[in-house]
Amino acid sequence: MTKNGKFDGLANVTAGATAICTVGKEGTGLTYRGYSIEDLAGQARFEEIAYLLLYGELPTEQELNDYDNRLMSLRGLPAELKAVLEQLPGTADPMDVMRTGCSVLGCIEPECTFDQQYRIAERMLALFPSILAYWYRFHRDGIRIDTESEERTVSGYFLHLLSGTKPPALHQRALDVSLILYAEHEFNASTFAARVAASTLSDMYSCVTAAIGTLRGPLHGGANEAAMELISRFDSIEDVEPALKTALARKEKIMGFGHRVYNVSDPRSPIIEGWSRRLADDSGDDRVFRISKEIETVMWQQKKLFPNLDFYSASTYHYMGIPVPLYTPIFVCSRVSGWAAHIMEQRADNALIRPTADYVGSEERSFVPMEKRHKAHYG
């Protein structure tokens, strides 16, 4: 509880131990199993990171090749799942589609024993892009896409499914880096929800469904979509400062800035900003990037708030032609690697997560019979 008597959502409370990820000292750095996010985003690809999170070590060349082959073999959508995706409305929130797709998959291919957990984690990694793209293309274009593909990377695979054409190498690598940056982030809200579910010894699909439902909330996921909505309001950089000052004066929340854990900066933000700049230069139209930079400048001048990962992810996805409603579901396709790793870690040394609460309700009182409940508050 804070000094003013309000609860602060367990801020600065240690809720467990993990060997998967740390946000570093003084809320600045970020590592996955001891490797800095800068090294991983600069030198690896997403499949290596997923392997690292799930198995604890970076793969050898042969292990990565085998892993790629396994993921490629697991991309086919079951007929029953296709039928469900077709029956869902095209107007549904894509995050609802992801949550439902995960739950349906758990009915079709249930986890009967925890010995199946690695296979199920790989199945979700392979299939989540298929679920999203199949539903989107069916309702947007009226076609049933083939989710089997020779694309070896998750990023190339998803972009190919989405557009129907092989993506440019620059786009593929930009999305690859984005998936790495979104893959894991310690005890964030969705990961903690997954661990709470796992602590009850529930199945992996239920744990991941709980995580997706948590990520759907705008205070956790969705900031990248809100950031793009903000950026889209402006036709030029000259429009930014007066409009933002007005919004801040009205105490409107500007999504994509500040962070619950980081105090100085989000170490992921400069990385994705660099990719946004590269894609802007490649497109020949840097207006969206320049507007984004101006928003960052004004937010720092007015509120001393720094951009988090979500802010420049918005313009990065924009330059790749990804529809805004799919921004947060892409987060799911990446973070499922971190969620699965945490579910496995929770299971390996489990204790039921059941915190206590400070009671702030009425003092103990006598039961009031029905015939006497005729006045307000029974006074």
Side-chain angles (χ1 to χ4, degrees):
M1 184 177 288
T2 60
K3 291 180 180 179
N4 62 7
K6 294 183 178 180
F7 288 94
D8 54 1
L10 301 180
N12 302 314
V13 173
T14 298
T18 182
I20 299 170
C21 171
T22 176
V23 295
K25 296 180 180 179
E26 299 180 355
T28 53
L30 174 64
T31 66
Y32 296 172
R33 296 200 182 274
Y35 295 99
S36 76
I37 194 62
E38 291 82 4
D39 285 347
L40 295 177
Q43 302 181 58
R45 59 183 174 91
F46 174 65
E47 290 74 22
E48 293 177 78
I49 285 13
Y51 189 100
L52 169 67
L53 294 173
L54 294 172
Y55 294 96
E57 299 292 344
L58 289 168
T60 65
E61 184 176 0
Q62 185 59 54
E63 286 171 336
L64 181 59
N65 185 64
D66 293 342
Y67 193 60
D68 288 341
N69 290 335
R70 287 203 305 275
L71 293 180
M72 291 172 66
S73 72
L74 294 170
R75 289 172 175 168
L77 283 170
E80 302 94 328
L81 183 49
K82 288 181 180 179
V84 170
L85 294 174
E86 292 177 14
Q87 291 175 40
L88 294 176
T91 55
D93 189 298
M95 285 295 287
D96 294 343
V97 174
M98 298 301 290
R99 184 192 63 222
T100 300
C102 179
S103 187
V104 170
L105 185 64
C107 296
I108 299 169
E109 302 174 5
E111 182 182 33
C112 301
T113 168
F114 288 177
D115 291 340
Q116 299 173 283
Q117 62 183 357
Y118 285 98
R119 171 75 174 186
I120 289 172
E122 292 174 0
R123 178 66 158 151
M124 289 190 289
L125 271 168
L127 209 61
F128 277 10
S130 309
I131 289 171
L132 181 59
Y134 187 90
W135 168 82
Y136 183 75
R137 294 290 304 280
F138 178 81
H139 290 284
R140 186 192 69 173
D141 302 330
I143 60 174
R144 295 180 171 92
I145 61 172
D146 182 4
T147 60
E148 305 287 350
S149 171
E150 294 302 313
E151 293 280 357
R152 293 193 69 79
T153 66
V154 173
S155 58
Y157 171 64
F158 176 73
L159 290 173
H160 196 166
L161 288 186
L162 193 61
S163 67
T165 59
K166 188 173 181 62
L170 187 66
H171 289 196
Q172 181 175 319
R173 179 54 184 162
L175 183 58
D176 194 50
V177 171
S178 174
L179 295 175
I180 292 171
L181 298 177
Y182 271 124
E184 166 57 11
H185 211 230
E186 199 222 38
F187 277 23
N188 57 84
S190 58
T191 297
F192 191 65
R195 291 194 72 131
V196 170
S199 78
T200 71
L201 302 184
S202 189
D203 69 292
M204 184 170 286
Y205 298 106
S206 295
C207 299
V208 172
T209 299
I212 295 173
T214 306
L215 186 65
R216 191 191 190 288
L219 293 185
H220 183 20
N224 48 20
E225 297 179 26
M228 194 64 235
E229 189 279 328
L230 172 67
I231 295 165
S232 299
R233 296 180 196 175
F234 306 114
D235 294 322
S236 68
I237 60 174
E238 290 75 22
D239 300 331
V240 172
E241 184 172 3
L244 271 187
K245 284 183 175 179
T246 299
L248 291 170
R250 293 173 179 168
K251 299 190 182 303
E252 294 181 18
K253 186 173 181 61
I254 307 300
M255 303 298 285
F257 287 87
H259 198 276
R260 184 64 174 269
V261 176
Y262 297 119
N263 302 320
V264 179
S265 64
D266 185 336
R268 302 166 298 178
S269 182
I271 299 171
I272 200 64
E273 179 188 345
W275 280 98
S276 177
R277 184 188 296 274
R278 289 179 65 177
L279 292 172
D281 291 343
D282 181 70
S283 73
D285 181 3
D286 66 352
R287 183 183 64 85
V288 167
F289 180 78
R290 288 187 295 108
I291 288 172
S292 300
K293 287 297 295 182
E294 182 67 9
I295 293 172
E296 178 187 356
T297 297
V298 174
M299 286 299 293
W300 181 255
Q301 290 174 344
Q302 297 297 313
K303 303 294 289 186
K304 293 297 184 284
L305 288 175
F306 55 84
N308 57 41
L309 170 60
D310 290 315
F311 184 69
Y312 281 104
S313 293
S315 52
T316 299
Y317 289 175
H318 164 81
Y319 283 117
M320 287 188 278
I322 297 173
V324 174
L326 304 190
Y327 286 11
T328 308
I330 292 173
F331 193 155
V332 173
C333 295
S334 167
R335 185 59 63 85
V336 67
S337 57
W339 290 336
H342 277 276
I343 293 164
M344 294 176 184
E345 185 178 61
Q346 183 68 37
R347 288 173 169 181
D349 186 21
N350 188 53
L352 179 65
I353 299 174
R354 200 293 189 188
T356 58
D358 290 335
Y359 178 68
V360 295
S362 300
E363 296 295 328
E364 187 172 344
R365 47 187 173 168
S366 300
F367 180 79
V368 180
M370 179 63 72
E371 63 272 13
K372 294 184 178 181
R373 299 179 204 166
H374 57 278
K375 294 183 179 180
H377 305 295
Y378 318 128

